[in-house]
Amino acid sequence: MDFHFNKLEKDDGSLDFHRFVIILNHSFSPRIRFVGELELEHAFVEGLEEGGELELEQAYVDFLLTRSFNVRAGMLLVPMGIINERHEPPVYQGVERPFVDTVIIPSTWFDAGAGIHGEIGRGLRYRAYAMAPLNALEFTADEGIREGRLKGSQANVRGVAFAGRTEYVGTPNLTLGASLWRGETGFAIRRFDTPVRVAEVDARYKLRRLETRGQFAHVSIGNAAALNDAIQRTVGISPNVASGLRGFYGEAAYRVWAAGVSKDLVAFLRYENFDTQHRMPAGFLPLKEFDRDALVMGVTYYPDPDVAVKADYIRQRNQSGVVKSPNSFNVGLGWWF
Amino acid sequence: MRFRNIGRTLLLGVALLASGASSQAPERRVIRVTAERFTFTPSRIVVNPGDTIEFRLTSDDTAHGFRISGTDVNVVIPKRGMPETSVTITAPAPGKYAFECTRMCGAGHNFMRGELIVREPRQGAPR
């Protein structure tokens, strides 16, 4: 759960109770378990998401068979990147999640599906799911595939998507991950296919007080030109959807005060580069204001390992000579239990 | 000179093999396990039957549980910054024993599992 104060440059500040999350668990038996996560975003829900969103982000049953092979089905988090499956405020630095985990990887990304998971050998984990796809008609120039999430709500599964991730956790303090999502997203446009592929690699490493992490993500959208034409015929405006999106970031966080509970302070610096118009289909020009980078610097104070008080400053830039990306100052309080 | 080095290497190899065989004798082992949402490191622990195993358990974040099925081990691992938890057992009969977090620690709680493997004793190994 977290609430924020956000102050964009040349704009009034705002207070937002961003996320209120309820997690439900039940064990039918030691080998059959239910996990549920219900999230209320922006404090209240008004029709058509004007005020907020109530989302069923997880609701699945796990059939725990062996260490290396288990089955789950229901509403699943897409196993993609560092943040999507572990998205609570105490586990990432900064008041808001990284931009790359918002506009390139559309976290929180969840959908209905089923699949297998397990751990092999000394710390090689995997998840492999068949899931509902994205809806290409909702793709945009600035947020890429984000608005295309179907969120398990009467999702059209003419084409089933595949999502998989492998993660190596066998060496203390090191986590290496790679994820892939592939799916046909053009079910609403019958004339042509719109295959989408999201690929990602990430690493996290801790060395005493220093914690580092990095992530690279790439999205490719097939038949983007035809998709833009089809949407333009429907709504009158081309969304200028790219054929390639790309983002990466590197972060270093240092525990400047590490004297136990209530004496725990982290300073961090993160550089992000994210471009939702990285590759354009023939005949389309990129909108340069969506080729962005950001330098995020701030501190996180942990009065308890599950409570994070955060403050950061974001200097954001883009490649446009006309449209400026605003810098911002943010303060947040997040907790998890 | 070269043959002498090869000879030394062979002798060293034999000595190492011999010490491997004697490692089958029950011994006292300290195994440090770190818990973090939603992982135990290491998540696969291999011991010999009869070994006395002291688990020293710490967390990198919140409080977790640590239970080994088929044994009496069921303890709480305190939050980051708190003193470690220590629990000692004698390795049970050969087989695989799952261990898991028993304290709800988030939506990935079910991932938090590992395996204690107790080897079959080698033939001829001292008991």
Side-chain angles (χ1 to χ4, degrees):
Chain A
M1 302 181 201
D2 56 327
F3 82 93
H4 307 154
F5 168 77
N6 303 99
K7 172 75 176 74
L8 289 174
E9 192 179 24
K10 298 176 184 172
D11 208 347
D12 293 334
S14 68
L15 274 175
D16 182 29
F17 201 110
H18 196 155
R19 298 182 182 92
F20 181 86
V21 182
I22 297 171
I23 293 177
L24 302 166
N25 270 39
H26 176 70
S27 291
F28 297 102
S29 74
R31 291 185 176 276
I32 304 177
R33 299 177 183 181
F34 165 76
V35 173
E37 180 182 356
L38 194 64
E39 182 168 314
L40 173 63
E41 291 197 355
H42 307 295
F44 82 105
V45 177
E46 198 174 45
L48 302 175
E49 297 185 4
E50 196 59 39
E53 296 175 10
L54 185 64
E55 295 177 333
L56 184 64
E57 293 193 346
Q58 297 187 79
Y60 62 81
V61 174
D62 247 334
F63 298 90
L64 302 175
L65 306 175
T66 68
R67 178 171 178 261
S68 59
F69 185 83
N70 306 281
V71 177
R72 69 176 36 155
M75 187 75 89
L76 307 173
L77 290 174
V78 175
M80 174 66 61
I82 295 174
I83 295 293
N84 198 54
E85 291 180 293
R86 297 170 79 243
H87 50 255
E88 282 72 10
V91 299
Y92 60 88
Q93 301 298 335
V95 174
E96 303 289 351
R97 297 172 186 174
F99 291 104
V100 173
D101 287 297
T102 305
V103 299
I104 307 296
I105 296 171
S107 69
T108 307
W109 189 5
F110 56 94
D111 221 313
I116 57 174
H117 66 95
E119 185 169 334
I120 303 164
R122 291 178 65 89
L124 187 64
R125 293 175 155 194
Y126 73 90
R127 270 91 80 198
Y129 305 151
M131 305 187 76
L134 295 162
N135 180 5
L137 279 185
E138 302 295 333
F139 293 171
T140 62
D142 60 335
E143 292 197 312
I145 60 176
R146 184 174 184 81
E147 294 304 316
R149 295 171 299 170
L150 294 174
K151 302 183 178 182
S153 178
Q154 299 177 324
N156 185 312
V157 288
R158 187 178 66 145
V160 174
F162 163 81
R165 177 170 171 82
T166 57
E167 214 167 47
Y168 175 72
V169 295
T171 300
N173 301 321
L174 175 70
T175 302
L176 301 173
S179 319
L180 179 69
W181 186 99
R182 288 187 69 162
E184 165 52 47
T185 64
F187 56 83
I189 313 157
R190 301 266 168 170
R191 299 192 308 279
F192 56 89
D193 290 338
T194 315
V196 169
R197 186 184 68 206
V198 185
E200 177 275 347
V201 289
D202 59 81
R204 282 171 279 163
Y205 183 64
K206 289 183 197 173
L207 181 64
R208 289 185 279 277
R209 291 183 174 206
L210 180 68
E211 297 183 15
T212 58
R213 57 176 62 184
Q215 179 170 285
F216 177 88
H218 185 271
V219 178
S220 66
I221 302 172
N223 281 326
L227 175 65
N228 285 322
D229 288 341
I231 296 174
Q232 183 165 19
R233 285 198 193 98
T234 307
V235 299
I237 302 168
S238 168
N240 215 52
V241 172
S243 56
L245 295 70
R246 187 208 64 191
F248 60 87
Y249 68 82
E251 177 186 288
Y254 188 76
R255 209 165 282 278
V256 293
W257 196 22
V261 173
S262 84
K263 293 174 181 172
D264 204 355
L265 182 71
V266 175
F268 75 96
L269 184 67
R270 180 169 67 238
Y271 174 75
E272 297 193 58
N273 189 301
F274 51 107
D275 184 2
T276 52
Q277 302 271 280
H278 182 59
R279 291 272 184 275
M280 298 305 296
F284 291 82
L285 293 173
L287 300 168
K288 289 293 186 184
E289 66 263 38
F290 300 135
D291 181 0
R292 294 157 277 186
D293 67 356
L295 193 62
V296 187
M297 59 199 89
V299 291
T300 303
Y301 170 62
Y302 295 94
D304 180 281
D306 290 332
V307 180
V309 183
K310 303 178 172 188
D312 67 40
Y313 179 75
I314 302 175
R315 195 189 74 180
Q316 204 180 159
R317 290 182 301 194
N318 66 49
Q319 298 302 311
S320 167
V322 181
V323 182
K324 296 284 184 198
S325 292
N327 301 327
S328 64
F329 172 69
N330 310 284
V331 179
L333 172 63
W335 61 96
W336 190 9
F337 58 88
Chain B
M1 187 68 178
R2 192 176 173 189
F3 288 109
R4 193 176 293 170
N5 284 342
I6 291 171
R8 278 182 189 160
T9 308
L10 283 172
L11 275 174
L12 185 64
V14 170
L16 283 173
L17 280 173
S19 70
S22 67
S23 73
Q24 287 285 294
E27 59 184 47
R28 184 177 180 85
R29 295 182 58 187
V30 174
I31 296 174
R32 295 179 188 280
V33 177
T34 304
E36 183 183 15
R37 288 175 173 118
F38 300 104
T39 310
F40 287 111
T41 307
S43 61
R44 185 168 177 265
I45 299 165
V46 182
V47 298
N48 294 316
D51 282 356
T52 301
I53 308 160
E54 183 187 353
F55 291 101
R56 292 187 185 168
L57 309 162
T58 53
S59 171
D60 263 356
D61 45 39
T62 191
H64 295 278
F66 183 74
R67 178 175 65 196
I68 305 177
S69 65
T71 74
D72 293 334
V73 175
N74 188 0
V75 294
V76 173
I77 308 173
K79 293 180 178 186
R80 180 178 71 221
M82 303 291 281
E84 67 185 14
T85 291
S86 174
V87 59
T88 303
I89 61 166
T90 300
K96 292 181 177 178
Y97 300 84
F99 59 85
E100 62 179 2
C101 176
T102 51
R103 188 184 175 280
M104 175 59 196
C105 58
H109 170 66
N110 281 356
F111 281 127
M112 234 177 132
R113 297 194 300 157
E115 196 169 63
L116 173 68
I117 299 172
V118 183
R119 288 192 191 107
E120 291 287 344
R122 280 191 202 159
Q123 218 167 17
R127 285 182 174 270

